[in-house]
């Protein structure tokens, strides 16, 4: 079945460092891909999305490009802030047209001043 | 204006009790979901309803019963609570009929602790 794999965390960076969180997926067909963020004690918020190959999603300085050839959707940010500390989830939409999301295991990011 | 709201936010209860979590969305979406987040932060879908019709029922103990009185509400009732039910439960909704390939909007979560 469909699945998503994210890099193991936690990831600890200093403020203004470059961030990459790797995400690869396994799916038949062409799923939509998403990054969600969960700040401490809060629910999930959509960070960005891409619905077809070569699409680039971007929001709040974060970017991710849908790479069909490598089945990847890596999250990047050029300069992280302390306020970016959160858990980041990569997800894909189920091919069965139910809207079900399949999530990766989440990557905790801690940014130190 | 809260888009997807769940109550309660925290729920502490004893083993064997029955409890309910309520969810409401004011986004006009057709599809609603319950996801469970375990202690390692892993998220997995439990149920989905589209216009009050159950369309996803993952492998979940039948002590869990969702109910959708209308398309804006999806409640989760849990009977005979067990220690292993302790988790954060998220309600979500999405706009497309029968799901589609769009994102879901999540509530704040209900942290259930069974003691």
């Amino acid at each position: 079945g469909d699945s998503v794999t994210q890099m193991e965390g936690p990831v600890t960076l200093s403020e203004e460092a470059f961030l990459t969180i790797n995400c690869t997926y396994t799916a038949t067909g062409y799923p939509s891909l998403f990054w969600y963020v969960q700040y401490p004690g809060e629910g999930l918020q959509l960070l960005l999305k891409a619905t077809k190959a070569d699409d680039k999603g971007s929001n709040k300085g974060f970017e991710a490009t849908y790479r069909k050839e490598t089945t990847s959707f890596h999250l990047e940010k050029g300069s992280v802030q302390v306020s970016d500390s959160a858990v980041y989830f990569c997800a894909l939409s189920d091919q069965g047209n139910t809207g079900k999301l399949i999530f990766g295991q989440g990557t905790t990011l801690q940014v130190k001043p | 204006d809260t888009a997807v709201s769940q109550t309660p936010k925290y729920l502490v209860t004893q083993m064997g009790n029955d409890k309910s979590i309520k969810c409401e969305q004011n986004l006009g979406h057709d599809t609603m979901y319950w996801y469970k987040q375990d202690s390692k932060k892993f998220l997995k879908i439990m149920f989905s309803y589209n216009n009050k019709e159950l369309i996803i029922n993952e492998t979940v103990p039948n002590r869990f019963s969702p109910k959708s009185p209308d398309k804006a509400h999806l409640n989760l009732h849990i009977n005979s609570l067990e220690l292993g039910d302790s988790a954060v439960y998220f309600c979500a909704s999405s706009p497309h009929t029968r799901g589609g390939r769009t994102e879901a909007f999540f509530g704040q979560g209900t942290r259930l602790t069974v003691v």
Side-chain angles (χ1 to χ4, degrees):
Chain A
D2 295 355
S3 66
V4 177
T5 302
Q6 290 180 234
M7 63 187 286
E8 291 277 342
V11 174
T12 303
L13 296 173
S14 298
E15 209 164 21
E16 298 184 4
F18 184 85
L19 168 70
T20 300
I21 301 178
N22 290 338
C23 170
T24 56
Y25 67 91
T26 302
T28 52
Y30 306 96
S32 291
L33 300 173
F34 308 91
W35 277 101
Y36 280 84
V37 58
Q38 185 178 25
Y39 297 103
E42 298 186 13
L44 281 82
Q45 300 174 28
L46 177 69
L47 183 58
L48 52 86
K49 67 177 182 180
T51 57
K52 59 184 188 298
D54 300 326
D55 265 3
K56 178 186 276 190
S58 61
N59 186 24
K60 299 181 182 179
F62 291 89
E63 292 183 340
T65 301
Y66 190 140
R67 301 280 188 207
K68 184 171 177 300
E69 63 277 12
T70 53
T71 62
S72 64
F73 193 54
H74 305 321
L75 182 68
E76 296 182 336
K77 187 176 186 184
S79 175
V80 293
Q81 305 300 311
V82 172
S83 57
D84 293 327
S85 298
V87 182
Y88 292 81
F89 293 92
C90 185
L92 62 79
S93 61
D94 176 62
Q95 296 293 287
N97 206 34
T98 62
K100 164 183 162 181
L101 292 174
I102 295 167
F103 286 89
Q105 67 268 43
T107 302
T108 299
L109 170 66
Q110 184 177 20
V111 181
K112 296 188 173 179
Chain B
D1 236 9
T2 305
V4 181
S5 59
Q6 298 177 226
T7 53
K9 188 169 182 181
Y10 299 98
L11 184 52
V12 180
T13 188
Q14 291 188 324
M15 275 197 308
N17 283 351
D18 303 338
K19 289 293 177 187
S20 292
I21 306 171
K22 296 187 175 182
C23 179
E24 175 181 5
Q25 55 96 2
N26 62 6
L27 298 168
H29 291 167
D30 292 322
T31 309
M32 295 184 72
Y33 312 84
W34 280 109
Y35 285 84
K36 179 180 179 180
Q37 185 175 46
D38 65 21
S39 58
K40 295 184 179 178
K41 300 283 187 184
F42 187 68
L43 280 150
K44 190 163 191 265
I45 193 162
M46 300 172 69
F47 302 103
S48 175
Y49 271 75
N50 177 260
N51 277 322
K52 302 194 296 177
E53 178 189 351
L54 181 66
I55 58 170
I56 296 175
N57 185 352
E58 296 286 303
T59 308
V60 176
N62 56 16
R63 298 181 294 102
F64 290 77
S65 53
K67 284 188 172 52
S68 182
D70 56 62
K71 74 172 193 178
H73 296 85
L74 180 61
N75 303 322
L76 182 65
H77 188 75
I78 315 170
N79 288 328
S80 304
L81 278 153
E82 300 177 357
L83 292 176
D85 297 331
S86 296
V88 181
Y89 293 85
F90 286 101
C91 178
S93 70
S94 69
H96 286 190
T97 300
R98 287 283 169 184
R101 293 152 59 86
T102 189
E103 67 270 24
F105 295 78
F106 284 79
Q108 294 295 297
T110 296
R111 181 175 293 277
L112 171 65
T113 304
V114 183
V115 297

